[in-house]
Amino acid sequence: MKTVLNFMMSSEEYQVTSEIHEKSDVDTSAKPHVSPKNIITNFVFKVPSFLSWITGNLNGLRVDEDGDLLVRRRNMPAQDAVIAIEQSHSTTLQFVGLQVWRGALVLADFMLHNGLSLIKDQTVLELGSGTGLSSIVAAMFAEEVICTDVDIGTILELIKANFARNNKYIKAKYSVLGLDFYARQWSNNLEAKLTVVSVVIVADVVYDNDLTEAFVRTLERIMNVPPKKTVFIALEKRYVFTVADLDCVAPCYDFFIGCLDKAQAKSNPQWKVDLLPIDFPQFFKYERMKELVLMRISL
């Protein structure tokens, strides 16, 4: 199945709604902190056995709310947990980061499956953190998580609010900093953090060609700061029908790949770009489609 952005007309601009909302569990009893127009969505996920502390386990054994031991029988299903995310139901294209998209859930699944080997005790930087969901999952494993996004609207405030709402899952130190892909100068705090970052995660930032070019320039700049960094990028190929091609094509994705190729040819031939399989276990509830892409860039 090929997917496209879901647009709704507004009196002023097009409104964009994430397809995730269609099957999401909205918690009508929870109160948003950043905007009364926001919704609280419960993202249910299966807790891997090695994260037993999340479900009240002690040394691999589960206990109930009174502290009594619960014997775990063979073939018992994995325990469920919930990450509650405040987000917008619809936004203009400029503020799509205020919603959760499928790429963030794929990235979260990937980290839940590989967190012990890839990000445990590492310093992780997320670019375009949006609602902060991917960073919250990273914070279950990492030593430190640095959430970044452009400092406009309520984006940074939303990330902080969602971290506070899900504090019980946070084991890492974390900070929320502004980072504009178009900016020539970054804060001294961010520049200092880059010198200890070893893993960069990114989800759903490829949807506008100008922004994509700026994102790749930002990526080049970050990758040039020691120590060596590994980047994981999750996104969805979004198809549109064009008269020129007489077919459904994914122009934003193709443009992104072209930008990566140019950057690699120009000054980063040592970059190794790999497309990773997405057949790892699914912990979150969403439709994992073949249009979803997970990419690794390493040195």
Side-chain angles (χ1 to χ4, degrees):
M1 182 173 66
K2 296 183 178 180
T3 60
V4 295
L5 284 173
N6 178 25
F7 290 105
M8 299 189 305
M9 279 298 295
S10 164
S11 59
E12 298 178 356
E13 297 181 73
Y14 282 111
Q15 294 286 308
V16 184
T17 301
S18 171
E19 63 281 344
I20 292 298
H21 291 301
E22 297 175 4
K23 298 181 180 180
S24 294
D25 177 15
V26 176
D27 188 347
T28 56
S29 64
K31 181 180 178 181
H33 294 306
V34 176
S35 170
K37 295 181 179 180
N38 286 347
I39 59 174
I40 309 298
T41 305
N42 289 330
F43 290 95
V44 178
F45 67 101
K46 297 293 183 183
V47 180
S49 59
F50 51 80
L51 288 179
S52 58
W53 57 271
I54 287 180
T55 50
N57 288 353
L58 180 63
N59 295 326
L61 301 177
R62 292 175 53 242
V63 295
D64 62 19
E65 59 185 8
D66 297 320
D68 297 325
L69 180 65
L70 295 174
V71 178
R72 184 173 180 83
R73 294 177 174 83
R74 185 175 298 177
N75 298 326
M76 256 185 92
Q79 298 298 296
D80 283 352
V82 175
I83 294 178
I85 294 293
E86 179 176 347
Q87 61 173 329
S88 297
H89 184 269
S90 64
T91 64
T92 60
L93 191 62
Q94 182 184 16
F95 293 104
V96 290
L98 296 174
Q99 303 180 60
V100 175
W101 300 83
R102 280 199 188 97
L105 294 172
V106 172
L107 185 58
D109 275 346
F110 177 72
M111 290 188 290
L112 283 173
H113 184 58
N114 297 287
L116 289 180
S117 60
L118 294 180
I119 60 176
K120 180 175 170 55
D121 300 328
Q122 303 296 310
T123 298
V124 177
L125 168 71
E126 182 171 22
L127 302 177
S129 297
T131 65
L133 186 146
S134 298
S135 283
I136 289 168
V137 174
M140 298 177 186
F141 301 92
E143 174 71 23
E144 181 176 5
V145 175
I146 304 146
C147 311
T148 65
D149 211 318
V150 61
D151 188 7
I152 58 173
T154 60
I155 292 178
L156 300 188
E157 186 181 354
L158 188 68
I159 298 169
K160 294 175 183 177
N162 281 327
F163 261 78
R165 189 180 294 273
N166 295 281
N167 184 62
K168 60 187 175 183
Y169 301 127
I170 310 302
K171 296 191 75 173
K173 297 182 294 183
Y174 72 93
S175 55
V176 179
L177 302 175
L179 193 165
D180 185 345
F181 293 161
Y182 295 101
R184 293 180 177 273
Q185 187 172 352
W186 295 342
S187 70
N188 292 335
N189 193 3
L190 176 60
E191 295 278 10
K193 293 289 188 183
L194 292 180
T195 63
V196 293
V197 167
S198 55
V199 178
V200 180
I201 58 174
V202 195
D204 301 307
V205 301
V206 175
Y207 53 86
D208 172 85
N209 287 353
D210 289 341
L211 184 65
T212 295
E213 285 185 320
F215 163 59
V216 173
R217 288 196 301 269
T218 297
L219 206 57
E220 289 183 88
R221 184 171 169 182
I222 289 172
M223 293 286 278
N224 285 331
V225 178
K228 291 183 178 180
K229 307 177 195 321
T230 302
V231 182
F232 296 99
I233 303 172
L235 55 90
E236 183 176 344
K237 292 183 182 179
R238 298 193 178 277
Y239 287 88
V240 296
F241 182 85
T242 67
V243 175
D245 297 287
L246 292 179
D247 195 6
C248 286
V249 294
C252 291
Y253 176 77
D254 293 339
F255 185 82
F256 170 56
I257 295 301
C259 288
L260 277 183
D261 289 343
K262 289 178 183 178
Q264 193 171 12
K266 179 181 65 178
S267 57
N268 302 288
Q270 70 273 33
W271 279 13
K272 183 180 180 183
V273 180
D274 299 302
L275 290 178
L276 303 180
I278 59 169
D279 56 355
F280 41 83
Q282 183 167 339
F283 299 94
F284 283 88
K285 296 180 180 179
Y286 63 100
E287 185 180 4
R288 187 181 287 181
M289 309 163 65
K290 61 182 175 56
E291 287 80 17
L292 290 165
V293 174
L294 182 63
M295 180 180 298
R296 177 180 60 205
I297 303 176
S298 56
L299 295 173

